[in-house]
Amino acid sequence: MEASEPVSRSARKHQAIMEAATAVFMEKGYAGTSMDDIAKLAAVSKQTVYKHFADKEKLFAEIVLATTDRVEDMIDLVADIPADADSLEENLLRLARQFLSTLTQPEVLQLRRLIIANADTFPDLGATWYEQGFERVLATLAETFQRLADRGLLRIDDPVLAAHHFSGLLLWIPVNRAMFRGSPQHNQSELEHYADAGIRAFLAAYR
């Protein structure tokens, strides 16, 4: 038990540093954040921060890439759409509402803005975050649309393009408003309206 205690303490400090770094980067941006800021919020010494992370760039990369794990639930949801003609619109609407709810959360929008703001400085990091996160959702969505097309429920020539159309119809308005205005500009009722309208437009094109 005693042997495992230092590992557990180290893991707790690592997590505290990650959470503090996420909060400070979100508030001050990459350039405006110092390791001193992170250490202070995490309630550890700056030496402890450097013991866990060699420099600010590596810490930034780790907190960004750690968020890609959050897409697993979305991938499962996208993959589980049943091939049922009678409930197709209902199932897609349920997916659309969950899709919007997840991807327009304030912390998700803040992270997106942070990554875009530093895309020129860390292009590989931005590309990896996109590939491991949203692009995986799009790929699963494309596979699901192809499965529905194979069952005769949708008419799709290019499932990847259809996946982009689906997500664009839902996300264009709320995400762009938030990106340009600095915070979410929508309420739940508006998200439901975007979901309803988006699914009607998608099915008008693809059913």
Side-chain angles (χ1 to χ4, degrees):
M1 187 67 140
E2 291 180 4
S4 66
E5 187 112 5
V7 175
S8 177
R9 188 181 304 119
S10 177
R12 287 197 299 271
K13 286 185 177 180
H14 189 92
Q15 184 61 32
I17 293 166
M18 290 275 287
E19 291 174 359
T22 300
V24 179
F25 280 131
M26 293 287 197
E27 179 185 352
K28 297 185 175 183
Y30 179 82
T33 294
S34 71
M35 295 296 251
D36 285 317
D37 295 331
I38 295 166
K40 182 178 180 180
L41 188 59
V44 300
S45 68
K46 188 162 70 169
Q47 288 74 19
T48 298
V49 176
Y50 279 112
K51 181 179 177 182
H52 286 264
F53 301 95
D55 53 41
K56 187 172 75 167
E57 181 178 340
K58 287 184 172 57
L59 176 51
F60 182 64
E62 183 158 340
I63 68 162
V64 166
L65 295 181
T67 63
T68 61
D69 292 340
R70 300 177 188 174
V71 305
E72 297 299 334
D73 289 343
M74 179 63 70
I75 287 173
D76 290 342
L77 184 69
V78 169
D80 286 341
I81 299 175
D84 182 350
D86 292 336
S87 59
L88 177 64
E89 184 168 353
E90 178 185 341
N91 291 331
L92 288 178
L93 180 57
R94 186 180 303 112
L95 169 64
R97 289 184 174 183
Q98 185 62 48
F99 200 83
L100 270 169
S101 177
T102 300
L103 296 178
T104 59
Q105 291 176 5
E107 60 272 21
V108 175
L109 293 171
Q110 281 183 302
L111 180 65
R112 178 189 178 97
R113 190 182 300 110
L114 183 63
I115 293 167
I116 291 172
N118 293 280
D120 288 337
T121 306
F122 306 116
D124 292 342
L125 177 60
T128 301
W129 181 80
Y130 182 78
E131 290 163 6
Q132 294 183 6
F134 192 58
E135 195 164 60
R136 290 172 58 210
V137 175
L138 288 171
T140 305
L141 193 57
E143 292 170 4
T144 297
F145 287 161
Q146 184 62 64
R147 173 170 54 84
L148 295 176
D150 291 342
R151 300 289 182 90
L153 302 183
L154 295 175
R155 295 180 296 104
I156 291 178
D157 296 323
D158 185 339
V160 174
L161 184 59
H164 279 278
H165 285 164
F166 178 89
S167 60
L169 285 166
L170 299 176
L171 297 172
W172 178 262
I173 296 173
V175 170
N176 276 303
R177 280 183 173 175
M179 290 298 100
F180 286 107
R181 298 183 183 182
S183 62
Q185 303 291 318
H186 52 263
N187 55 41
Q188 188 59 36
S189 175
E190 288 172 324
L191 289 183
E192 291 179 2
H193 172 68
Y194 298 146
D196 293 350
I199 293 304
R200 286 197 303 271
F202 180 81
L203 288 175
Y206 285 106
R207 183 157 62 178

